[in-house]
Amino acid sequence: MLNRLKFLSLMLVALLSLNGASFAQGFTEKELPPLSYEAEMTQKEFILQTKRIEKVPAGDESLKYRVRLPEGWMALSDRASEAIDLNDRLLGVIAKYVSPPLGDKRAQFVIRARELDYLISTKNWLLNYVNEQGYTLNGISEVHKNRVEAAYIVFKDGVSYGVRAVIEKKGARILLAEYYAPAGYVASSSDMQTWVTRTFRFLEKGSAETVPLKEYEILDFASYFYPEDWDIVTVGDKTPQLTQARLTKSVLSDEDKKRQSRGIAVGEKGIIQTYLVSKESLDEQNIEDFLNERLIAKNMMYEKETLTKRNNNMFGAKVENEIYRLKITNGNYVDYEFWVTVQDAPRHKFITTLVTPTRDFSFLDWAKNSGTYDLITATFRPATYAE
């Protein structure tokens, strides 16, 4: 198996606990329900029943959006002139539209935005949002890495709603548009929800980085980028034979700080280690020994059974990873995962490892760590002039 790694990356992922709270109503990555796009209403019928809306909330071009909404809907709040305060914790409402009365209820179309200060894929942000809010996920579609569409059930203010949503990521900003159909009107609103969300667009390209990045250089042989809010330490000396670096999250969240102030221990949020190893000291026949030597020190070893494959496309890189199961020799790492990716360079192997809380135990930490991990593996570049 390991002989096939010449042009591939290798990822080892261990699910170290089977007893944690289930994520997204028990869905694993493979079991996420697909989003249905079936509709009896034709596009022509939809256009005849709706009007085009294009707005620039508070004069902020970065929030400019376009959508088609049914005739008779009115803007309850479009934040046309009021300043909008966005931060990394709250989803600020930038526009809200409501339908004519449906009995004693109304359908709603709500647009929200939020600034991000961490790396996370659009899909993982949506899954974490659904999970944290306690919603029931009915379907999800990753249209592309910066646009995800989904359907879920929401219960708020004593009313159940069927929601169809669009999530877009523009640089450092997450933008969420949700069409709420109240209970009793979900089926009759389904076609309109599907078409409305398909026509919704944020028009600003949004090129700003999510977080400031730094470059880590390994002598003249290679380099990669990592987030500025992660600490990096070179372990030992940088040599052409082996250069090892350790990255840890340097900034605690507000929630972690509150937990610490109450005397609650805050565990490791994520540890990433990178190794640039010369092929003279490490050939393909002993990669397994190299990995297990470091795993055994953590009371782990991996099993050769391939479980699945994972593609890192968050940063446009085509990095294919093979996923293996880890065997735990004692319980010190319960509720953690261990990943390893091996990438090929002309004279070296580049090995990246990650210890992270499992997605079931702490999905947001898992998603943030996987975002940083994907950044490192996607931006690793051997220096051609050194080869």
Side-chain angles (χ1 to χ4, degrees):
M1 176 66 68
L2 291 174
N3 289 332
R4 296 193 303 145
L5 294 176
K6 189 170 183 179
F7 301 106
L8 297 176
S9 302
L10 166 68
M11 175 181 290
L12 311 177
V13 177
L15 299 179
L16 308 183
S17 172
L18 301 178
N19 298 320
S22 62
F23 157 73
Q25 294 77 44
F27 291 120
T28 65
E29 182 71 17
K30 287 184 176 180
E31 296 170 345
L32 290 173
L35 183 65
S36 172
Y37 286 91
E38 293 183 6
E40 293 183 4
M41 180 186 295
T42 65
Q43 184 176 20
K44 182 177 181 180
E45 290 171 335
F46 168 72
I47 291 174
L48 290 174
Q49 296 177 38
T50 58
K51 59 182 178 181
R52 174 175 162 146
I53 297 172
E54 190 168 308
K55 295 280 188 175
V56 183
D60 186 344
E61 288 288 338
S62 70
L63 297 175
K64 185 177 180 179
Y65 65 87
R66 180 175 64 223
V67 68
R68 295 193 70 90
L69 289 176
E71 293 285 353
W73 283 51
M74 63 179 183
L76 192 61
S77 169
D78 62 9
R79 308 298 292 270
S81 59
E82 182 181 353
I84 299 172
D85 180 24
L86 303 178
N87 58 50
D88 64 350
R89 293 176 299 280
L90 302 176
L91 278 166
V93 175
I94 63 175
K96 184 174 183 179
Y97 298 85
V98 296
S99 72
L102 300 172
D104 59 347
K105 305 177 184 67
R106 293 177 187 263
Q108 304 173 27
F109 188 76
V110 184
I111 307 171
R112 298 182 175 92
R114 166 180 175 168
E115 298 288 352
L116 293 177
D117 67 348
Y118 53 84
L119 292 174
I120 190 170
S121 70
T122 312
K123 180 179 179 180
N124 282 341
W125 185 91
L126 180 276
L127 291 174
N128 182 68
Y129 170 72
V130 169
N131 192 45
E132 284 191 338
Q133 300 299 319
Y135 300 158
T136 301
L137 184 67
N138 285 343
I140 184 168
S141 172
E142 188 174 29
V143 180
H144 53 71
K145 66 186 181 72
N146 290 323
R147 181 181 173 96
V148 174
E149 300 177 8
Y152 40 87
I153 302 298
V154 173
F155 188 80
K156 67 174 186 176
D157 301 326
V159 180
S160 178
Y161 295 89
V163 178
R164 186 93 175 194
V166 177
I167 304 88
E168 291 193 358
K169 185 149 75 83
K170 304 286 189 179
R173 186 168 287 174
I174 281 285
L175 305 135
L176 171 67
E178 296 172 300
Y179 186 135
Y180 291 79
Y185 299 90
V186 175
S188 59
S189 302
S190 177
D191 286 4
M192 186 62 73
Q193 283 183 305
T194 299
W195 280 111
V196 167
T197 51
R198 288 182 67 181
T199 64
F200 182 82
R201 293 288 186 277
F202 274 99
L203 303 180
E204 172 63 25
K205 292 183 178 180
S207 58
E209 293 179 346
T210 304
V211 298
L213 303 179
K214 286 186 175 181
E215 185 176 16
Y216 181 73
E217 296 182 343
I218 307 172
L219 299 176
D220 291 330
F221 294 99
S223 66
Y224 57 81
F225 286 91
Y226 67 96
E228 187 178 65
D229 62 348
W230 282 65
D231 288 328
I232 188 167
V233 176
T234 301
V235 180
D237 298 325
K238 290 183 179 180
T239 71
Q241 287 71 43
L242 174 63
T243 297
Q244 176 181 347
R246 175 186 171 96
L247 298 96
T248 54
K249 192 72 166 66
S250 59
V251 179
L252 292 177
S253 66
D254 290 341
E255 179 183 350
D256 289 333
K257 291 176 182 177
K258 290 178 182 178
R259 293 179 67 197
Q260 280 189 332
S261 68
R262 298 197 301 270
I264 301 174
V266 177
E268 293 284 4
K269 292 296 183 182
I271 302 171
I272 295 175
Q273 296 197 102
T274 64
Y275 308 86
L276 188 72
V277 190
S278 72
K279 290 180 178 177
E280 293 178 356
S281 58
L282 175 70
D283 58 39
E284 292 179 355
Q285 281 67 48
N286 61 26
I287 288 179
E288 181 178 348
D289 293 339
F290 181 89
L291 297 175
N292 271 327
E293 179 183 339
R294 282 147 183 83
L295 291 173
I296 289 170
K298 297 179 175 67
N299 302 301
M300 305 178 188
M301 63 184 300
Y302 77 90
E303 299 175 352
K304 294 183 180 179
E305 178 191 359
T306 302
L307 299 181
T308 185
K309 291 185 178 182
R310 174 182 179 273
N311 289 313
N312 165 15
N313 61 0
M314 180 175 172
F315 299 94
K318 300 297 182 182
V319 181
E320 185 178 61
N321 307 282
E322 292 189 3
I323 300 175
Y324 293 78
R325 187 187 305 279
L326 281 180
K327 180 179 179 181
I328 311 306
T329 57
N330 73 31
N332 287 349
Y333 282 81
V334 171
D335 293 324
Y336 279 80
E337 294 178 3
F338 185 71
W339 300 9
V340 175
T341 299
V342 179
Q343 293 170 270
D344 193 67
R347 294 184 182 179
H348 294 83
K349 291 289 186 180
F350 181 64
I351 304 173
T352 309
T353 69
L354 165 67
V355 174
T356 177
T358 64
R359 57 188 295 157
D360 282 347
F361 182 77
S362 179
F363 183 80
L364 184 56
D365 287 326
W366 178 90
K368 291 179 180 179
N369 290 336
S370 66
T372 298
Y373 184 88
D374 284 349
L375 171 69
I376 291 172
T377 58
T379 60
F380 165 71
R381 296 289 183 271
T384 55
Y385 62 83
E387 303 298 342

